[in-house]
Amino acid sequence: MERGDRDRRRDIPRTDVVLADPRLVTATSVLGRATVKSAVAMAQDRARHGEIPPEAVADTAVASLPRQATTLTPVINATGVVLHTNLGRAALSASAVAALGAAAGHTDVEFDLATGNRARRGRGTLDALAAAVPDAGAVHVVNNGAAALVLAATALAAGREIVVSRGELIEIGDGFRLPDLLQSTGARLREVGTTNRTALSDYEQAIGPDTAFLLKVHPANFVVRGFTSSVPTRDLAALGLPVVVDIGSGLLAPEPLLPDEPDATTALRDGAALVTASGDKLLGGPQAGLLLGRADLVELLRRHPLARALRVDKLTLAGLEATLRGPESPTWQALRREPRELRERAEGMCDRLREHGIAAEAVETVSVVGGGGAPEVEFSSWAVSLDPSLAEPLRTKAVVGRVERGRLLLDLRCVPPERDGDVCAAVREV
Ligand SMILES: *Cc1c(COP(=O)(O)O)cnc(C)c1O
């Protein structure tokens, strides 16, 4: 070792001395000691290798610290995909976020403050869901849409048969297939019809003493066109067996903006015994699985041992209740944004960027619902069009757009207007 190196090593401040820096003391209270200590160790190491001067160890450690104690990074979704699975599907409303904070500590989730006795878990959330869908005799909430389906299959059909159309045996994403999921419960699938056509008589012929229920699944992420037919819930219900309808996206009532998307109220009025849906698709809430329908069946599901394993936590209950009772969610704000407004924003942002010498152009584009919902529906939208080489550096600033025909498009549909300035600042920085 050369003499200079040895001197430099001697000048590197000791760990306890660096950790006493007030900024690092504060950081320790937010991030924990291990994270801060490893940042200090890394800075000391860099000083040892001569990459930074010994007196810069504390500054370097401070600069390298993460902002939060989670590695999850908030992202600006400029992809134009409203429910982007890789970006966490639905963004929660400010009310739902506040509700998570309120429920985070000790809370009366299962306790009656008036009597001091145990109370029904999540009763406020369940009441809100029941009020939103008066046609449901009872409601229950589990971890996600897949869990809702698994609970229904396990509690109602383990060791028995579920009759389902071949046209509805879908893959929901990341290689997960509904038929595999259902069979994992011990239920047997009795597939009827063909990929493109299934008739009422197909169901009739398949029904036997072992049939537990008829399943109808909304093929949420694809469409079959041409020579097709499927059997409406109303006709299935007339066969006299319980019909379980997986509507997928969680619309509670008909929505004029998405006329082809099934909803819970209509399915129940058409005679569904149970409806299953996700909480973080078109409902715009936290990840959850909704079960709505006949009171006796919901009670059976609720009392099944598996229900305990699929139980949602107090944060989900809080976020879901605030979504159901609160103001319009970011999902619906995004879906309802007018192209005219989006165009004005895109043009304004491009003007600002061009003032800084950045080539930017406002272009018309189309956004989609995403999250495996409304696969055919496109919404006219506007984007800031930039050089595609900016895509990667912008991602490091947590701004995610999409590259299309050799351009980087920042679609503004899912960007809250108050974040336009942040997007422009990120573009200028890169
Ligand atoms: C999304 C979806 C599911 C799965 O719901 P998760 O909440 O993702 O578990 C099941 N069925 C249909 C029709 C869906 O669209």
Side-chain angles (χ1 to χ4, degrees), residues 10 42 44 47 50 63 93 139 142 159 172 180 194-195 199 202 224 271 280 286 315 328-329 358 364 374 383:
R10 228 188 348 252
M42 248 150 41
Q44 288 168 321
S93 67
V139 300
V142 290
I172 50 181
D180 299 341
T194 59
T195 309
D202 294 323
V224 189
D280 56 346
L315 299 182
E328 190 170 62
S329 68
I358 298 160
E364 192 166 13

Side-chain angles (χ1 to χ4, degrees), residues 186-201:
R188 291 189 305 278
L189 288 192
R190 181 72 191 267
E191 300 172 18
V192 298
T194 59
T195 309
N196 57 329
R197 288 176 73 84
T198 304
L200 187 63
S201 56

Side-chain angles (χ1 to χ4, degrees), residues 89 143-149 170 172 178 181 217-221 246-249 276-281 287-289 371-373:
R89 283 198 191 154
N143 248 320
N144 56 15
L149 211 51
I170 64 173
I172 50 181
L178 234 49
L181 192 73
V217 180
H218 176 51
N221 50 12
D246 174 13
I247 60 167
S249 73
T276 68
S278 294
D280 56 346
K281 293 181 180 171
Q287 180 188 303

Side-chain angles (χ1 to χ4, degrees), residues 126-345:
L126 297 171
D127 289 349
L129 183 57
V133 188
D135 288 275
V139 300
H140 185 57
V141 179
V142 290
N143 248 320
N144 56 15
L149 211 51
V150 162
L151 184 55
T154 308
L156 307 179
R160 301 182 67 202
E161 273 183 7
I162 299 172
V163 179
V164 61
S165 162
R166 290 198 170 87
E168 298 174 3
L169 294 172
I170 64 173
E171 178 169 314
I172 50 181
D174 198 22
F176 286 101
R177 295 173 165 178
L178 234 49
D180 299 341
L181 192 73
L182 291 166
Q183 274 161 337
S184 76
T185 67
R188 291 189 305 278
L189 288 192
R190 181 72 191 267
E191 300 172 18
V192 298
T194 59
T195 309
N196 57 329
R197 288 176 73 84
T198 304
L200 187 63
S201 56
D202 294 323
Y203 289 92
E204 271 174 317
Q205 282 158 25
I207 291 173
D210 255 6
T211 308
F213 63 79
L214 313 181
L215 175 64
K216 187 154 180 65
V217 180
H218 176 51
N221 50 12
F222 69 98
V223 286
V224 189
R225 235 193 297 271
F227 188 52
T228 65
S229 73
S230 61
V231 182
T233 301
R234 202 178 307 111
D235 298 349
L236 290 183
L239 296 178
L241 280 163
V243 179
V244 176
V245 181
D246 174 13
I247 60 167
S249 73
L251 277 189
L252 300 182
E255 169 51 55
L257 197 62
L258 300 169
D260 296 329
E261 200 57 32
D263 68 278
T265 297
T266 305
L268 291 168
R269 286 191 182 161
D270 285 347
L274 265 186
V275 171
T276 68
S278 294
D280 56 346
K281 293 181 180 171
L282 286 171
L283 187 65
Q287 180 188 303
L290 314 181
L291 283 151
L292 311 101
R294 253 169 57 187
D296 59 328
L297 298 184
V298 172
E299 186 59 15
L300 216 80
L301 266 52
R302 216 173 59 78
R303 288 271 137 228
H304 191 279
L306 183 63
R308 185 60 171 77
L310 307 177
R311 186 173 97 163
V312 288
D313 75 331
K314 57 189 178 174
L315 299 182
T316 301
L317 289 166
L320 183 58
E321 180 173 2
T323 302
L324 289 162
R325 297 189 196 274
E328 190 170 62
S329 68
T331 299
W332 283 95
Q333 288 174 345
L335 290 172
R336 292 196 201 287
R337 277 195 185 104
E338 294 289 345
R340 191 167 34 82
E341 172 211 327
L342 294 167
R343 177 182 189 160
E344 274 170 25
R345 285 171 53 196

